[in-house]
Amino acid sequence: MAETTIGLYKTEAVRDDSPFRTGPLHRLADVELVTADWVSWFNGSRLMHRLGRKPPAESEADYYATPVEQPAGDR
């Protein structure tokens, strides 16, 4: 699984035509900024098939907005 994630990172964040890049990667700080942007997108904004094509952040918000039903004996 780690190899898959690293492959996605290289393909989506590091390549020359990546939407996360704003210029060449000359310094370590450039790579760190691209990485931070990609991780933020990957963890919070990307559409996930398992979540009904919703981003994880939206799915989590929906989960916590749904009231929890208490068992009949706990009321």
Side-chain angles (χ1 to χ4, degrees), residues 38-57:
W38 183 80
V39 168
S40 176
W41 168 81
F42 189 85
N43 288 337
S45 301
R46 71 187 166 109
L47 299 180
M48 294 188 64
H49 182 70
R50 287 182 286 168
L51 299 176
R53 309 265 318 139
K54 294 192 311 189

Side-chain angles (χ1 to χ4, degrees), residues 6-49:
I6 291 168
L8 287 171
Y9 167 75
K10 287 179 181 178
T11 301
E12 297 170 350
V14 178
R15 71 173 189 241
D16 288 338
D17 62 342
S18 168
F20 299 97
R21 288 182 59 173
T22 57
L25 302 175
H26 291 296
R27 302 172 300 142
L28 178 60
D30 299 331
V31 177
E32 289 173 343
L33 288 173
V34 166
T35 302
D37 287 345
W38 183 80
V39 168
S40 176
W41 168 81
F42 189 85
N43 288 337
S45 301
R46 71 187 166 109
L47 299 180
M48 294 188 64
H49 182 70

